[in-house]
């Protein structure tokens, strides 16, 4: 035990030793130095997230936009009106103060002149100036207290003041001194300064005599207090008014937005398939009329959809019943046709040809009935799958073998490009073989005598088969229409292989039943390509295809596609095409 402990201590010591070395110190310093950067980046991400959240909320909420706009406009209007109100009050106060100050100064000026005229001014100028200052400072004007300053115009004389002489601005003295008339008043604003006092003030000055100037300084404390009171009142009232307007806007918009939100929710549920959805009707206003109109629309829509469903059910039932009912007379006609066909060599040539035509049309009629029954099962939701794990290469070779006679008759070679390794998936072999056989036969019919290429590939999640021809191709928009029932690219074109016009429609339904895609690409004069994509496992969601929808040589051209599971449009095809290069590697096998 002691030896184990010693070894452990030695090991811990050897491990801990580097922590105190230069490398560990540098690492700690790097972490410490990087801490502000991490904080900055975290704050930046948080700010961006907040901005995104506010922007999203702003775009989605009509009520928020209305209330915020009301707040901003109210604040702007209140600020402008408050500014003009305060300016008007300030102008009124200053004008009244100015008028009272001029009157008080005029009264003091008359008093000072009378005092100076009572004595011998030539012998006692300083004494008279001091007496005038004392006398005037003891008086109180109608606007409150004021300060008195008497300053000499010429040198050699003293000035007297109840505050510091610097309270009289020099610019005012420069106006008063050269005044040609005694008693002419001049007014300006100043800062009244005393030992422990400093306040804004109004100063009025005039020449008292040829040797002195008389100035009255009126503090503006009272006016400043009144102005502060007005400003505070305007600010408080404006703030309360803005908040009240915001509350009013919130209440008013809530009365409008809530019914609109309810209507939007009802419309969403109605669009989702809940045809029994109705809005609550309150009152008799415009919103109530909206609710009534919505409910009438929903009721009419529900009724029309019910009628269409009933009509569709009748049509499906009619097609199924007709198909079943036609089987009995068709069987009888088929038996008679077979007897005639077997004895066609004993008939006259024109009668034998008629029997052959009868036989071929009976076969096509049987195929049409079989397709009608199959499509009616899909419409009724009664189609089922018999899933098994199958190598898609075997399905391709079987479909090509079934179409071999048609290809030989048309002088067309079918080239198979199959992966070297097994490519298995879970699907209904019968239905997938029918899809592939239909695609190959269609390609042979529209190949204009050129080869048809069948390519198979697989990846981890999906398998795909592409059938490529180099015939007339598809025009714009026809890649969607080609899966419609009884659709033809050229209505005047005869069917050379005796198709029923339901093959691609059934193939699309079979692909959807497997959770797969059946898509088409084509360009006029460049041929077309149909791609079948299936998930490897039953019930697995198909997210991509191992084959590109457009042929590799046309990758830079215009690509159009249709997805049997996603419906019409490029998104399904585009997302599949992005993974098209994931085709399973291996030397392709070509079989003619």
């Amino acid at each position: 035990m002691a030896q184990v402990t010693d070894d452990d201590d030695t090991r811990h010591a050897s491990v801990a030793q580097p922590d105190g070395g230069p490398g560990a110190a540098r690492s700690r310093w790097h972490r410490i130095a990087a801490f502000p950067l991490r904080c900055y980046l975290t704050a930046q991400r948080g700010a961006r997230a907040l901005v995104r959240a506010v922007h999203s909320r702003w775009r989605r909420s009509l009520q928020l936009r209305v209330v915020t706009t009301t707040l901003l406009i109210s604040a702007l209007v209140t600020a402008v009106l408050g500014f003009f109100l305060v300016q008007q009050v300030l102008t009124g106060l200053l004008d009244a103060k100015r008028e009272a100050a001029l009157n008080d100064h005029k009264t003091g000026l008359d008093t000072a002149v009378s005092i100076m005229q009572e004595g011998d001014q030539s012998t006692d100028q300083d004494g008279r100036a001091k007496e005038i200052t004392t006398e005037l400072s003891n008086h109180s004007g109608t606007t409150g207290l004021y300060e008195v300053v008497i300053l000499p115009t010429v040198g050699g004389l003293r000035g007297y003041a109840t505050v510091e002489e610097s309270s009289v601005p020099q610019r005012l003295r420069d106006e008063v001194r050269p005044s040609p008339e005694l008693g002419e008043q001049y007014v300006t604003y100043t800062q009244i300064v005393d030992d422990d006092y400093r306040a804004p003030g109004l100063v009025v000055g005039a020449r008292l005599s040829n040797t002195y100037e008389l100035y009255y300084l009126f503090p503006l404390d009272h006016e400043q207090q009144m102005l502060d009171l007005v400003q505070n009142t305007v600010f408080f009232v404006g703030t309360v008014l803005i908040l009240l307007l915001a509350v009013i806007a919130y209440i008013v918009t809530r009365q409008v937005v809530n019914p609109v939100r309810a209507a939007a929710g009802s419309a969403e549920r109605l669009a989702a398939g809940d045809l029994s959805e109705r809005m609550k009707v309150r009152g008799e206003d415009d919103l109530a009329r909206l609710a009534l109109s919505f409910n009438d629309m929903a009721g009419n829509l529900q009724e029309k959809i019910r009628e269409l469903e009933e009509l569709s059910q009748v049509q499906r039932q009619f097609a199924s019943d007709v198909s079943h009912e036609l089987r009995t007379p068709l069987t009888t006609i088929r038996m008679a046709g077979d007897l005639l066909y077997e004895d066609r060599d004993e008939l006259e040539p024109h009668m034998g040809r008629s029997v052959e035509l009868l036989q071929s049309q009976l076969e096509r009629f049987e195929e049409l009935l079989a397709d009608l029954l199959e499509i009616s099962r899909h419409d009724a939701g009664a189609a089922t799958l018999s899933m098994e794990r199958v190598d898609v290469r075997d399905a391709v070779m079987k479909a090509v073998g079934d179409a071999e006679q048609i290809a030989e008759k048309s002088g067309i070679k079918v080239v198979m490009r199959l992966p070297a390794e097994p490519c298995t998936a879970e699907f209904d072999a019968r239905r997938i073989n029918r899809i592939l056989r239909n695609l190959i036969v269609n390609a042979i019919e529209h190949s204009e005598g050129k080869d048809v290429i069948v390519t198979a590939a697989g990846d981890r999640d999906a398998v795909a088969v592409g059938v490529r021809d180099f015939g007339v191709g598809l025009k714009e928009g026809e890649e969607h229409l080609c899966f419609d029932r009884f659709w033809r690219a050229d209505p005047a074109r005869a069917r050379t292989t005796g198709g029923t016009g339901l093959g691609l429609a059934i193939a699309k339904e079979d692909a959807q039943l497997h959770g797969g895609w059946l898509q088409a690409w084509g360009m006029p004069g460049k041929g077309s390509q149909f791609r079948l994509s299936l998930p490897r496992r039953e019930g697995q969601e198909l997210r991509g295809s191992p084959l590109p929808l457009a042929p590799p040589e046309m990758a830079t051209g215009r690509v159009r596609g249709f997805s049997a599971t996603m419906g019409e449009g490029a998104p399904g095809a585009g997302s599949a095409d992005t993974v098209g290069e994931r085709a399973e590697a291996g030397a392709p096998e070509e079989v003619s």
Side-chain angles (χ1 to χ4, degrees):
M1 291 294 292
Q3 183 64 36
V4 172
T5 304
D6 292 343
D7 291 343
D8 290 344
D9 292 342
T10 302
R11 184 178 67 250
H12 289 312
S14 63
V15 172
Q17 184 175 0
D19 292 342
R26 284 195 299 270
S27 178
R28 285 195 297 271
W29 279 112
H30 288 165
R31 288 196 298 270
I32 295 174
F35 180 73
L37 179 60
R38 290 198 299 270
C39 293
Y40 170 75
L41 294 177
T42 302
Q44 188 180 40
R45 287 193 295 268
R48 289 178 179 176
L50 179 61
V51 169
R52 286 194 297 268
V54 172
H55 183 258
S56 176
R57 179 66 176 174
W58 174 265
R59 293 183 59 186
R60 295 176 58 187
S61 177
L62 174 63
Q63 190 172 14
L64 176 62
R65 293 198 300 271
V66 172
V67 173
T68 304
T69 305
T70 304
L71 271 175
L72 294 177
I73 297 177
S74 302
L76 179 61
V77 173
T78 303
V80 172
L81 294 178
F83 174 78
F84 282 106
L85 177 62
V86 171
Q87 290 298 318
Q88 290 295 323
V89 172
L90 177 61
T91 302
L93 289 175
L94 293 179
D95 289 345
K97 185 66 175 180
R98 184 189 183 95
E99 187 67 24
L102 289 173
N103 293 333
D104 288 347
H105 182 266
K106 183 65 175 176
T107 302
L109 192 62
D110 295 339
T111 302
V113 171
S114 63
I115 292 175
M116 293 188 70
Q117 291 176 353
E118 290 177 357
D120 187 0
Q121 298 180 4
S122 61
T123 57
D124 195 12
Q125 293 288 332
D126 290 341
R128 291 296 181 183
K130 182 178 181 181
E131 181 183 354
I132 291 172
T133 303
T134 303
E135 180 67 20
L136 295 179
S137 63
N138 291 330
H139 290 75
S140 177
T142 57
T143 58
L145 297 178
Y146 53 82
E147 305 294 339
V148 181
V149 177
I150 296 180
L151 298 176
T153 304
V154 297
L157 297 177
R158 291 184 56 190
Y160 295 91
T162 57
V163 292
E164 294 185 8
E165 295 181 3
S166 60
S167 299
V168 180
Q170 185 63 38
R171 66 179 182 278
L172 182 62
R173 295 199 64 187
D174 294 339
E175 294 179 358
V176 172
R177 281 177 184 175
S179 177
E181 297 181 6
L182 297 177
E184 185 177 357
Q185 296 174 309
Y186 295 89
V187 183
T188 189
Y189 295 98
T190 186
Q191 191 79 10
I192 301 176
V193 180
D194 204 353
D195 295 337
D196 55 351
Y197 178 79
R198 182 180 294 270
L202 180 68
V203 57
V204 182
R207 286 181 60 191
L208 178 61
S209 64
N210 293 329
T211 56
Y212 285 100
E213 305 159 6
L214 176 62
Y215 298 94
Y216 270 24
L217 288 87
F218 297 87
L220 297 177
D221 294 344
H222 180 66
E223 286 72 14
Q224 184 64 47
Q225 292 176 0
M226 292 184 63
L227 185 62
D228 291 341
L229 177 62
V230 171
Q231 288 178 340
N232 293 335
T233 303
V234 170
F235 178 78
F236 175 75
V237 173
T239 303
V240 173
L241 179 62
I242 292 172
L243 294 178
L244 288 177
L245 289 175
V247 172
I248 293 172
Y250 174 81
I251 295 174
V252 172
T253 54
R254 185 179 179 85
Q255 293 178 351
V256 177
V257 170
N258 281 352
V260 173
R261 289 175 178 172
S266 299
E268 290 175 355
R269 289 187 288 272
L270 184 65
D274 185 5
L275 300 179
S276 62
E277 178 63 27
R278 298 294 185 273
M279 289 183 62
K280 295 182 180 179
V281 181
R282 297 185 179 90
E284 300 178 357
D285 54 10
D286 294 336
L287 295 176
R289 291 175 56 194
L290 173 64
L292 288 173
S293 300
F294 179 87
N295 292 340
D296 291 341
M297 179 193 69
N300 293 334
L301 183 63
Q302 185 179 19
E303 183 65 24
K304 293 297 182 183
I305 291 178
R306 184 181 296 111
E307 292 177 0
L308 291 175
E309 289 178 348
E310 293 176 355
L311 179 61
S312 177
Q313 178 65 30
V314 169
Q315 289 177 342
R316 290 195 297 266
Q317 187 64 37
F318 176 76
S320 178
D321 292 343
V322 168
S323 301
H324 281 288
E325 292 299 328
L326 287 177
R327 278 193 172 277
T328 301
L330 179 62
T331 302
T332 304
I333 297 173
R334 178 70 177 182
M335 293 172 61
D338 289 341
L339 291 176
L340 292 174
Y341 186 75
E342 291 176 357
D343 298 334
R344 66 185 182 280
D345 295 335
E346 300 176 1
L347 301 175
E348 297 180 3
H350 66 279
M351 294 295 294
R353 178 57 181 167
S354 300
V355 170
E356 291 178 356
L357 292 176
L358 175 63
Q359 185 71 8
S360 63
Q361 292 304 314
L362 285 175
E363 292 176 355
R364 184 177 178 185
F365 195 16
E366 286 183 337
E367 293 178 2
L368 180 59
L369 284 179
D371 288 345
L372 284 174
L373 287 173
E374 184 65 25
I375 205 74
S376 65
R377 279 194 289 269
H378 280 292
D379 291 339
T384 58
L385 295 176
S386 178
M387 305 296 285
E388 56 182 318
R389 180 163 290 277
V390 183
D391 191 341
V392 72
R393 300 180 302 174
D394 297 337
V396 170
M397 288 188 288
K398 186 177 187 308
V400 171
D402 293 341
E404 184 178 1
Q405 291 183 354
I406 300 175
E408 291 179 353
K409 183 178 179 181
S410 303
I412 295 172
K413 182 172 66 174
V414 179
V415 179
M416 290 186 292
R417 295 178 179 175
L418 307 178
E421 300 295 330
C423 189
T424 60
E426 295 179 0
F427 54 79
D428 188 331
R430 181 182 63 86
R431 294 183 182 274
I432 297 303
N433 181 72
R434 181 170 58 191
I435 295 175
L436 297 178
R437 185 175 66 252
N438 189 280
L439 295 179
I440 294 171
V441 170
N442 282 343
I444 293 172
E445 181 178 359
H446 296 88
S447 64
E448 300 292 331
K450 301 176 184 178
D451 293 346
V452 172
I453 300 176
V454 182
T455 306
D459 59 13
R460 184 185 62 182
D461 300 319
V463 295
V465 178
V467 180
R468 172 81 161 104
D469 68 75
F470 299 89
V472 295
L474 296 173
K475 299 178 182 178
E476 184 175 0
E478 291 183 349
E479 66 275 8
H480 310 305
L481 300 175
C482 63
F483 296 101
D484 293 345
R485 300 173 185 181
F486 300 107
W487 179 84
R488 291 186 184 183
D490 183 3
R493 181 186 179 95
R495 297 185 185 274
T496 60
T497 58
T500 64
L502 295 173
L504 287 179
I506 296 175
K508 170 189 154 184
E509 297 288 346
D510 286 337
Q512 286 179 327
L513 201 60
H514 284 82
W517 303 338
L518 183 56
Q519 299 164 290
W521 170 92
M523 291 182 66
K526 301 295 183 180
S528 60
Q529 176 164 292
F530 287 78
R531 180 182 67 181
L532 173 66
S533 304
L534 300 172
R536 278 191 178 268
R537 288 174 293 278
E538 181 182 4
Q540 180 183 1
E541 182 181 0
L542 186 61
R543 298 182 179 274
S545 177
L547 282 178
L549 179 57
E553 68 274 11
M554 303 299 297
T556 57
R558 180 177 54 180
V559 179
R560 303 186 299 272
F562 176 87
S563 171
T565 55
M566 299 183 190
E568 297 181 2
S575 61
D577 293 342
T578 57
V579 294
E581 300 302 327
R582 298 182 300 166
E584 189 171 302
E589 177 184 354
E590 294 194 7
V591 182
S592 60

